[in-house]
Amino acid sequence: QVQLVESGGGSVQAGGSLRLSCAASGRTFSRYAMGWFRQAPGKEREFVTAISRTGSKTLYAESVKGRFTISRDNARNTVYLQMNSLKPEDTAVYYCAIDRTMFTPVIHTTVNEYDYWGQGTEVTVSS
């Protein structure tokens, strides 16, 4: 059983910051790329960012590039999402996920390319 547990969500004012964490278990964490997705009320789940298994490569959605930073600590089986300069449009439930493919050479950006998901952590940004 693979389990992912997100934490760190909350309510902040526009321009504020939050740091999300995702702790994984049940899979050899360092062998897989990890991603963050978000889902706003009534919207489809969308890609936010992802990081390669070694942490050497990252990819960001255009909407968050320059404001969000993904990182990972393989020794702790944890991936992080530092969110700065938050905007109301960032309001959503944020999910971490594990890539389906072990040792994938590329960073995947679609929901179907990830096979295990956390329960999500809510982020609310007020104006």
Side-chain angles (χ1 to χ4, degrees), residues 1-8 20-30 32-37 45 51 70 72-74 76-80 93-100 111 113-121:
Q1 173 81 297
V2 175
Q3 293 183 322
L4 299 172
V5 180
E6 301 100 333
S7 62
L20 308 184
S21 298
C22 174
S25 64
R27 180 176 286 188
T28 305
F29 183 76
S30 63
Y32 295 86
M34 297 289 296
W36 284 97
F37 292 74
R45 191 168 299 186
I51 187 167
I70 188 171
R72 66 190 297 162
D73 185 342
N74 287 346
R76 291 182 165 82
N77 289 356
T78 302
V79 62
Y80 305 94
V93 177
Y94 284 71
Y95 300 89
C96 65
I98 304 177
D99 197 290
R100 291 182 177 272
V111 169
E113 290 169 314
Y114 294 78
D115 60 349
Y116 288 96
W117 299 80
Q119 294 300 304
T121 184

Side-chain angles (χ1 to χ4, degrees), residues 41-82:
K43 302 293 185 179
E44 294 290 318
R45 191 168 299 186
E46 66 174 353
F47 173 78
V48 176
T49 181
I51 187 167
S52 64
R53 66 181 186 86
T54 65
S56 62
K57 296 181 179 179
T58 58
L59 187 66
Y60 297 89
E62 188 66 26
S63 60
V64 306
K65 194 170 186 177
R67 300 186 297 120
F68 291 10
T69 302
I70 188 171
S71 61
R72 66 190 297 162
D73 185 342
N74 287 346
R76 291 182 165 82
N77 289 356
T78 302
V79 62
Y80 305 94
L81 181 62
Q82 178 67 46

Side-chain angles (χ1 to χ4, degrees), residues 11-26:
S11 298
V12 298
Q13 294 184 357
S17 298
L18 285 172
R19 188 183 190 227
L20 308 184
S21 298
C22 174
S25 64

